[in-house]
């Protein structure tokens, strides 16, 4: 019986200590400023970090317009990479278009590279047509290869001088660039 009493007392002491420490952590979190609790943005793509030049590329858009790193270097540009077989790509299109609208970008400044089978890219083309310059290519085709894109979706935001301002593989890239 004395062992049982000792075990209950020890267990109660440990539970009380746990409760006190948990309450102290909660209090500390409530006292910290919101900026200190802010989650860090996703890092840039390692192959294309901020400050690096936009890679050299050349492609023809669905509109017939020739698109290259040189043609895009005179104004801010957003490069978005999608794949027609990517289930998480389609939901990011409205966020891309919202970013372009909020920042006053015209369709020539928003380059959407859609990889995969042309027959499967229809819904991407429909969603982006008239709102972005659409380039169709095979999955991980020449433009994606020039940008060292390995996963989809991916976003690269460049300044008017053709220097990468931000890059990443989620729409938080767009949010961080807008801030």
């Amino acid at each position: 019986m004395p062992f049982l009493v000792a075990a209950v007392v020890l267990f109660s002491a440990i539970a009380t200590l746990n409760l006190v420490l948990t309450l102290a952590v909660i209090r500390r979190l409530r006292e910290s400023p919101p900026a200190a609790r802010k989650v860090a943005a996703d890092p840039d793509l390692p192959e294309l970090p901020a400050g690096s030049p936009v890679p050299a590329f050349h492609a023809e858009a669905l509109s017939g317009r020739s698109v290259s790193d040189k043609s895009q270097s005179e104004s801010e540009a957003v490069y978005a990479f999608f794949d027609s077989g990517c289930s998480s790509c389609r939901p990011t299109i409205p966020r891309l278009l919202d970013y372009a609208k909020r920042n006053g970008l015209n369709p020539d400044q928003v380059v959407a590279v859609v990889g995969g089978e042309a027959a499967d890219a229809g819904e991407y083309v429909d969603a982006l047509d008239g709102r972005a310059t659409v380039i169709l290519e095979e999955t991980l085709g020449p433009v994606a290869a020039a940008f060292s894109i390995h996963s989809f979706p991916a976003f690269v935001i460049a300044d008017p001088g053709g220097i990468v301002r931000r890059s990443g593989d989620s729409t938080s890239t767009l949010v961080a660039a807008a801030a």
Side-chain angles (χ1 to χ4, degrees):
M1 184 72 163
F3 293 114
L4 183 58
V5 171
V8 169
V9 170
L10 180 63
F11 179 74
S12 297
I14 292 172
T16 303
L17 178 63
N18 187 19
L19 180 62
V20 169
L21 291 176
T22 301
L23 291 174
V25 168
I26 291 171
R27 189 173 126 237
R28 182 81 178 236
L29 284 172
R30 284 185 179 173
E31 291 173 354
S32 66
R37 289 182 277 172
K38 190 173 184 179
V39 177
D42 292 335
D44 285 339
L45 297 172
E47 301 84 1
L48 207 56
S52 60
V54 170
F57 74 95
H58 186 279
E60 185 174 318
L62 287 179
S63 65
R65 176 177 164 247
S66 179
V67 182
S68 70
D69 55 307
K70 304 288 186 245
S71 68
Q72 298 303 118
S73 66
E74 296 176 11
S75 60
E76 179 181 353
V78 177
Y79 303 92
F81 296 86
F82 304 108
D83 185 76
S84 59
C86 167
S87 62
S88 60
C89 289
R90 181 74 172 93
T92 64
I93 292 174
R95 293 183 213 139
L96 169 67
L97 298 176
D98 183 53
Y99 173 85
K101 184 178 179 180
R102 278 193 328 251
N103 289 283
L105 302 179
N106 65 47
D108 291 340
Q109 293 172 281
V110 181
V111 178
V113 180
V114 181
E117 297 295 323
D120 298 334
E123 79 178 283
Y124 289 88
V125 173
D126 292 344
L128 294 163
D129 193 31
R131 299 177 185 159
T133 301
V134 180
I135 299 171
L136 283 181
E137 65 179 22
E138 61 198 42
T139 297
L140 300 175
V143 179
F147 280 79
S148 299
I149 301 300
H150 300 291
S151 63
F152 299 102
F155 302 94
V156 176
I157 300 164
D159 68 16
I163 302 298
V164 174
R165 231 179 35 179
R166 190 85 169 88
S167 66
D169 58 4
S170 71
T171 55
S172 65
T173 303
L174 302 173
V175 173

